[in-house]
Amino acid sequence: DAGVTQSPTHLIKTRGQQVTLRCSPKSGHDTVSWYQQALGQGPQFIFQYYEEEERQRGNFPDRFSGHQFPNYSSELNVNALLLGDSALYLCASSYGTGGLETQYFGPGTRLLVL
Amino acid sequence: AQSVTQPDIHITVSEGASLELRCNYSYGATPYLFWYVQSPGQGLQLLLKYFSGDTLVQGIKGFEAEFKRSQSSFNLRKPSVHWSDAAEYFCAVVAYSGGGADGLTFGKGTHLIIQP
């Protein structure tokens, strides 16, 4: 059983560009959450998708957007990249949205903005 | 708003010695608390979680944590560390707003170094 997978593993972009990161959840999971982890910091919650809709959002600007597909996979889009967007982006999947469910994390996509 | 504080940025422990990593939380209601471990180049792995009931929680890899409401703490412990325990450890809390459960709020992490 494959765990949570993310692509690409690494990405280099320049300021002002747009980026799309992808996540495939663990088999049987229907909820995907995205986190941003800056160097030396803990992950910060960006948003969560369930039933193809954004159901919760952290304190991130609307340059950050996402999508969930019918097969539960998800994309994170970031527009107008800033240097401060350089970070490890983590995807986590779970079954359900009650908050008690264990979230399983992928290995992340490391984004560098130059 | 909820928050998590991990007071120790780095901790160095000798192999075979006991370990305690500190975590303090701020949340108005009963918190749901988690400890995750992150090894280099890997995603986060859940060690244990507390929702209710027994305040001493057992996890994987020989870890345990104790919830103390009076101290707003959820410290992680292990009686004897192994070199493979060297990693970054994160304490996290999930809170609830009007729309249901929010995402996890993480502390800044504690970097554990194991001395031979």
Side-chain angles (χ1 to χ4, degrees):
Chain A
D1 173 30
V4 179
T5 60
Q6 294 185 243
S7 64
T9 56
H10 296 82
L11 205 51
I12 300 175
K13 291 286 187 178
T14 57
R15 281 178 297 174
Q17 285 189 312
Q18 178 265 343
V19 68
T20 297
L21 310 181
R22 295 176 177 81
C23 171
S24 291
K26 186 176 169 64
S27 178
H29 285 183
D30 58 6
T31 303
V32 173
S33 301
W34 287 92
Y35 293 82
Q36 180 195 66
Q37 186 177 17
L39 201 60
Q41 302 293 316
Q44 282 194 289
F45 174 66
I46 303 175
F47 43 52
Q48 183 182 80
Y49 276 83
Y50 173 71
E51 293 188 338
E52 302 180 48
E53 290 191 358
E54 182 184 299
R55 62 170 298 279
Q56 293 289 359
R57 189 179 184 93
N59 189 25
F60 278 80
D62 57 12
R63 296 188 298 111
F64 290 77
S65 63
H67 189 77
Q68 186 179 35
F69 300 93
N71 67 352
Y72 307 118
S73 67
S74 177
E75 289 182 348
L76 164 65
N77 301 293
V78 187
N79 294 324
L81 284 167
L82 304 174
L83 296 180
D85 295 332
S86 295
L88 180 68
Y89 287 85
L90 295 165
C91 168
S93 74
S94 59
Y95 177 72
T97 61
L100 310 182
E101 306 81 13
T102 297
Q103 293 192 30
Y104 291 82
F105 283 81
T109 294
R110 189 164 294 281
L111 172 64
L112 177 61
V113 182
L114 301 176
Chain B
Q2 71 279 4
S3 65
V4 174
T5 301
Q6 294 180 247
D8 304 304
I9 298 174
H10 300 276
I11 281 189
T12 301
V13 178
S14 297
E15 190 169 16
S18 64
L19 169 70
E20 182 169 27
L21 302 182
R22 296 184 292 165
C23 171
N24 294 98
Y25 67 89
S26 173
Y27 183 56
T30 299
Y32 298 132
L33 295 158
F34 305 77
W35 274 100
Y36 281 86
V37 61
Q38 186 176 37
S39 299
Q42 303 205 7
L44 289 94
Q45 181 183 24
L46 179 69
L47 290 175
L48 47 79
K49 58 187 178 183
Y50 170 78
F51 294 152
S52 63
D54 193 347
T55 57
L56 186 61
V57 181
Q58 301 298 319
I60 63 171
K61 303 185 179 185
F63 286 94
E64 66 178 26
E66 186 171 11
F67 171 65
K68 292 185 177 180
R69 185 188 300 276
S70 62
Q71 298 177 18
S72 298
S73 69
F74 188 56
N75 294 349
L76 182 71
R77 301 194 294 246
K78 187 171 185 178
S80 176
V81 298
H82 186 261
W83 64 266
S84 61
D85 293 325
E88 194 80 19
Y89 290 79
F90 293 96
C91 182
V93 64
V94 65
Y96 287 78
S97 61
D102 291 334
L104 292 164
T105 296
F106 286 87
K108 292 187 176 182
T110 295
H111 185 64
L112 177 62
I113 300 166
I114 306 296
Q115 280 185 336

